[in-house]
Amino acid sequence: MGGLANQLAAHMDFATPSAQDLVQRFWQAPNMATENGLKAVDLFQAMEEGKVKVVWIMSTNPMVSLPDTAQVRRALEKCELVIVSDCKAHTDTTAMADVLLPATGWSEKDGTVTNSERRISRQRGLLPAPGDARHDWWAICEVAKSLGFAAAFSYQHAHEIFAEHAALSAFENNGKRDFDIGHFSQMTKMEYDALTPVQWPVPKGRPEGTKRMFEDRRFFTPDGRARFIAITPSLPKAQASQEWPFTLNTGRVRDQWHTMTRTGDAASLAKHTAQPYVEIHPKDAQHLGIKDKTLVRITSANGEVLLKAKWSRAVAPGNVFVPIHWTQQFANVSVVSNLIPQIVDPLSGQPESKHAQVRLEAVTNVCYGMVVSVESLILSDCLYWCHVPSEQGFHYEVVWPAGQTHETLKQGYQDDAESVEWLEYLNPVTQQIRLAKLVDQKLNLLMYLHSQPESIVADWLISTLTIDTALSAQERLAMLVGMPANIEEKGEIVCSCYQVGTKQIEKAVSNGVDSVEGLGSTLRCGTNCGSCLPELKRFFSVRLEVSV
């Protein structure tokens, strides 16, 4: 449970002189660490220097989440043994692994979790572990046994580890340390399984736990008085310059989580924000010749990425915003940590992940397109591609170098089978190219190419991949047009729960709906998780501003 580099187990640390001796005596461990370990950024720097020979990465994705991706890659390539435990086979980090261990996911884990109000809750697995997946504690124990420490790692169940953790928290405590769950030190597996939520401290004799701490106005310091630490706030080290005129801020979008290893497979979530982007103020975009939805190269002193532009007045001039979530599993050159320098807080080691100085330039001489396929594709001939999760087949948004022809596009997907047929639509005026590859008269591959970005509703086109009968003449024509006449165009998805789009909302408002509640009654949007409510309110705030 020493989950941080500067921690011992049970919330003790090296800054407390007696803590190391106490933990050492409790575990009868003569070979104890005597000082802080390496924090994350320091660890990867030491790895590249050859000072760290083995790393075991559990349930995290440092190839995306840590700053300066190029340095993290160099470190992992230099490391002699990289072990990765994850419940997802394909991540940017598992691609660097020498040994890949299948681990259980959240809904398969069995143990306890503690939230920010100190509440310990029993987590019981909802699903059995699939395939060869195993709990992390089991994997640690098995490795320890193989290294000759079987006696110290002979646990048979998570409750034994929890009870030992509780015993250490109470060891020679006597009210000197805040973390004390000694009440659980002798608990049986039956008691563990029946554990109900409780807030620590839970010392012996107080099974009800502690709802509110410090009511006696005494703190866990030698004299019982609180310690306040004065700090001097400082601005980010890197500041705007002629070479790097834009300040980059990073953050999250509504429907994705961290590096998309958990949420990225959900097609319904991807429909709200299908691709990564760089948010830029219209004045800056016009000055740089960057059109909305066109490709932009963003460069910092550490690296570069390619992203689609998103004009927005939500960012101030001189600033740009990029979401953190997209990885190389979903977009080929869009990992924002490529741009972030390894500047860290001197005390915590926390990287300055939300700040970098960058420059932007429009990517010219390109053409924009979409690819829909029954199988995954390697799009190495594209400058930019983004895999958009879909419920059927595979959907890619792409940017090709200019000069593509229908013959060059078809070249990599030719098939000698007699059952292959190509449908083509070529418009030399608008430079549109639309190709459909049919196998046994069923859609196998669809490619659209345009000189400028175009909004194309992909849902119906993707659904045609599952049509198991020969396509009719009307369906063939509709594929090349891009939309059948009998399907309502939703627009950009606002409500992920019920897949309600901007055009549906605008139509409802024009028909007299005058409130968010009214939209909920007519379209159901905003009535489930509620995360789309701020966006729904904007439809009426804009209307109010216009009327005023």
Side-chain angles (χ1 to χ4, degrees), residues 402-432:
Q404 302 294 319
T405 67
H406 68 290
E407 291 299 334
T408 58
L409 290 173
K410 288 164 56 176
Q411 190 173 1
Y413 307 101
Q414 296 287 7
D415 198 314
D416 294 333
E418 295 181 1
S419 59
V420 172
E421 177 186 2
W422 283 94
L423 307 179
E424 301 179 4
Y425 167 78
L426 311 175
N427 189 324
V429 176
T430 61
Q431 298 180 348
Q432 287 184 347

Side-chain angles (χ1 to χ4, degrees), residues 108-112 122-125 135 137 157-158 192-193:
E108 299 146 5
K109 289 183 181 293
D110 180 82
T112 62
R122 181 77 169 87
Q123 178 173 324
R124 303 163 182 85
H135 298 314
W137 69 262
H157 190 272
Y192 182 73
D193 289 338

Side-chain angles (χ1 to χ4, degrees), residues 5 13 25 36 46 132 184 195 197 208 226 256 277 288 306 327 336 343-344 392 405 418 436:
D13 56 45
R25 285 186 289 105
N36 291 342
D132 293 327
F184 302 122
L195 182 66
E208 72 283 359
Q256 296 297 346
Y277 58 86
L288 294 171
L306 296 176
T327 72
V336 70
I343 298 173
V344 300
Q392 302 96 15
T405 67
E418 295 181 1

Side-chain angles (χ1 to χ4, degrees), residues 231-343:
I231 63 168
T232 303
S234 60
L235 293 172
K237 286 188 177 181
Q239 295 293 309
S241 65
Q242 187 173 357
E243 184 178 10
W244 311 109
F246 287 92
T247 299
L248 169 75
N249 179 25
T250 72
R252 304 168 186 274
V253 298
R254 194 189 74 191
D255 289 352
Q256 296 297 346
W257 173 254
H258 287 1
T259 62
M260 289 172 64
T261 53
R262 308 301 185 262
T263 54
D265 292 336
S268 61
L269 298 180
K271 290 176 183 177
H272 179 259
T273 307
Q275 300 181 69
Y277 58 86
V278 54
E279 205 167 15
I280 180 172
H281 194 278
K283 288 184 179 179
D284 289 331
Q286 290 170 343
H287 176 72
L288 294 171
I290 296 172
K291 297 180 181 179
D292 192 32
K293 297 183 174 61
T294 59
L295 195 63
V296 179
R297 177 175 286 105
I298 310 173
T299 308
S300 77
N302 293 83
E304 70 174 40
V305 298
L306 296 176
L307 295 163
K308 299 279 190 73
K310 180 180 179 180
W311 283 23
S312 172
R313 286 182 168 80
V315 293
N319 292 262
V320 292
F321 171 83
V322 176
I324 64 172
H325 311 286
W326 276 264
T327 72
Q328 287 190 310
Q329 310 306 307
F330 293 94
N332 60 333
V333 282
S334 300
V335 178
V336 70
S337 60
N338 278 293
L339 304 173
I340 307 298
Q342 290 186 335
I343 298 173

Side-chain angles (χ1 to χ4, degrees), residues 504-506 508-509 513-525 527 536-537 539-540:
Q504 293 171 296
I505 296 169
E506 289 166 355
V509 173
V513 175
D514 59 0
S515 66
V516 171
E517 292 75 18
L519 289 175
S521 299
T522 56
L523 300 174
R524 296 202 295 173
C525 51
T527 61
L536 295 178
K537 290 177 182 177
F539 285 87
F540 301 102

